[in-house]
Amino acid sequence: LEVPEEVQNGLYFLTTTIWRTVPELAQDLAQSLGVDAAEIPPILQYRSWIGGDRDGNPNVTHQITKSTIEALHTAARELWDTQLKELHRELSPSTRRANLPEVSKHLIKGKDQRQHEPLRLRIAALRHGIHNQVISAAKLQTELLAIRDDLVSAGLSRVANARPLTDAIVRSRAFGLHLAKLDIRQHSEIHLSALSELFEHAGIHDGYASLSEPEKMILLRQELANPKPLSAPGTPLSEQTRKVLRTLEVVRQAQTLDENAIGSCIVSMTHHVSDLLALRLLMKEVGFELDDCRTPPVVPLFETVEDLQRAPKLLQCILKEPAL
């Protein structure tokens, strides 16, 4: 399979079996706990590495990663359009018959026939917002919960806790507007090579890769605290380094649009704390604000026997590192 075919294969299961099954599992759990499904926290959320794992796979380019993120969001919008159409059909209470709050006048404009059906107007606004990519997953979840609260306050608890509204609430928690967060993975040696080249071009150090671990840590902490980038626009970089930076730019753009688009940035063959700080510095190079909640976490992957044996002590150092 080519990578785009793998992406479509993963999307098939996310948009069919998984999308259908998650609310069923929530209903089963809620029944066993004696609560309503809308009241339980998310029990499942999804991540994928398909289209994001470039360690050893030259076919996973920054364009592939970008198209994968777009495909996940497009599929999510289509599923939500269907879900909200169903809600629009089902939630027809009128202010003439139930004590429901009125909606803003801008929602009624041009829809006089629905002016007494506030829930339908709000659902229509959600559909419009998702279609035009102007609302967040948090806003979607907040609105769905508010609709449920309004139904309960109006004495329509049976409707409030019936499907498809509870299914929509469960799905908003599990899938958001992204279906699955994409994990980005690259080998530590690729990051090491890119950073060595950037340090050399910047005149900071000509042999970063040969430094000891303590020396690397001093230099990395120093540059992480430096607001200036390592390279200027137009700096002649190798194709491999450009690929690393392009991928991180795609990640930054995705997180700007949806902070749930990316799960984590994984460093395979992590041997030292500096392997993680190196990626943090590369992320800073493309414009990430490292203290911003939208900046994905950097995650180590221990793969050799030696690294696995050292992992407990190394993790203690990683968790204590202020720059992480």
Side-chain angles (χ1 to χ4, degrees):
L1 291 177
E2 297 293 332
V3 179
E5 293 170 320
E6 289 186 80
V7 171
Q8 290 304 314
N9 193 40
L11 274 173
Y12 170 79
F13 290 103
L14 279 166
T15 58
T16 55
T17 309
I18 294 173
W19 179 264
R20 290 195 300 264
T21 303
V22 166
E24 298 294 341
L25 293 173
Q27 290 287 343
D28 289 348
L29 179 59
Q31 187 175 1
S32 68
L33 295 173
V35 298
D36 295 308
E39 296 172 356
I40 60 175
I43 56 172
L44 287 172
Q45 290 178 328
Y46 289 82
R47 289 193 183 186
S48 172
W49 66 86
I50 308 170
D53 183 3
R54 63 231 326 112
D55 180 14
N57 188 347
N59 295 318
V60 182
T61 63
H62 71 282
Q63 294 101 327
I64 289 290
T65 296
K66 183 178 181 181
S67 65
T68 299
I69 295 166
E70 289 171 351
L72 286 163
H73 281 79
T74 298
R77 287 195 298 272
E78 291 172 355
L79 287 167
W80 276 112
D81 192 62
T82 301
Q83 174 82 79
L84 293 173
K85 278 181 185 175
E86 186 179 2
L87 270 182
H88 189 274
R89 240 184 353 256
E90 295 289 327
L91 298 184
S92 59
S94 167
T95 53
R96 291 167 169 168
R97 302 294 300 276
N99 185 25
L100 291 165
E102 299 287 347
V103 296
S104 302
K105 285 187 169 38
H106 77 275
L107 292 181
I108 299 175
K109 187 177 180 181
K111 301 185 177 102
D112 291 343
Q113 75 277 17
R114 298 289 187 210
Q115 62 179 305
H116 300 294
E117 298 176 342
L119 302 187
R120 282 182 163 170
L121 288 171
R122 288 163 68 181
I123 292 165
L126 282 177
R127 283 186 65 199
H128 181 269
I130 290 173
H131 177 75
N132 291 285
Q133 302 179 57
V134 293
I135 70 166
S136 65
K139 175 67 173 176
L140 170 64
Q141 186 178 143
T142 298
E143 276 294 292
L144 292 172
L145 288 169
I147 288 171
R148 178 176 181 268
D149 289 344
D150 288 345
L151 286 167
V152 171
S153 297
L156 300 171
S157 296
R158 185 183 61 80
V159 179
N161 295 313
R163 305 166 79 171
L165 180 55
T166 55
D167 286 359
I169 292 170
V170 168
R171 285 173 172 146
S172 72
R173 291 167 174 158
F175 302 106
L177 297 174
H178 60 281
L179 280 187
K181 294 182 180 183
L182 189 65
D183 284 331
I184 309 297
R185 184 163 77 109
Q186 182 57 280
H187 197 290
S188 60
E189 288 294 324
I190 302 295
H191 295 149
L192 177 67
S193 174
L195 201 51
S196 296
E197 185 177 351
L198 288 167
F199 278 146
E200 188 173 346
H201 274 290
I204 293 172
H205 204 286
D206 291 340
Y208 170 73
S210 63
L211 294 177
S212 67
E213 176 66 6
E215 291 171 328
K216 286 179 180 175
M217 291 295 291
I218 290 171
L219 184 55
L220 289 166
R221 287 172 180 148
Q222 171 188 305
E223 291 306 316
L224 281 166
N226 185 351
K228 291 178 61 178
L230 295 170
S231 61
T235 300
L237 300 172
S238 67
E239 181 60 23
Q240 179 174 281
T241 297
R242 285 201 299 270
K243 286 179 179 178
V244 170
L245 296 178
R246 284 174 187 153
T247 296
L248 293 175
E249 285 169 357
V250 166
V251 171
R252 182 181 60 79
Q253 290 163 5
Q255 287 293 91
T256 300
L257 294 172
D258 181 353
E259 64 184 36
N260 296 304
I262 305 297
S264 59
C265 291
I266 302 167
V267 181
S268 58
M269 283 295 176
T270 297
H271 306 300
H272 308 284
V273 180
S274 64
D275 293 328
L276 302 187
L277 287 189
L279 177 53
R280 291 280 281 178
L281 186 52
L282 290 168
M283 293 169 78
K284 171 180 167 285
E285 185 70 9
V286 301
F288 271 108
E289 298 287 341
L290 299 183
D291 57 352
D292 191 326
C293 65
R294 291 172 296 183
T295 300
V298 172
V299 176
L301 183 57
F302 307 116
E303 298 179 87
T304 68
V305 172
E306 182 182 7
D307 287 335
L308 286 166
Q309 291 171 340
R310 294 172 54 245
K313 184 175 291 186
L314 185 53
L315 272 173
Q316 287 182 352
C317 296
I318 289 169
L319 294 171
K320 291 176 182 176
E321 175 54 47
L324 290 172

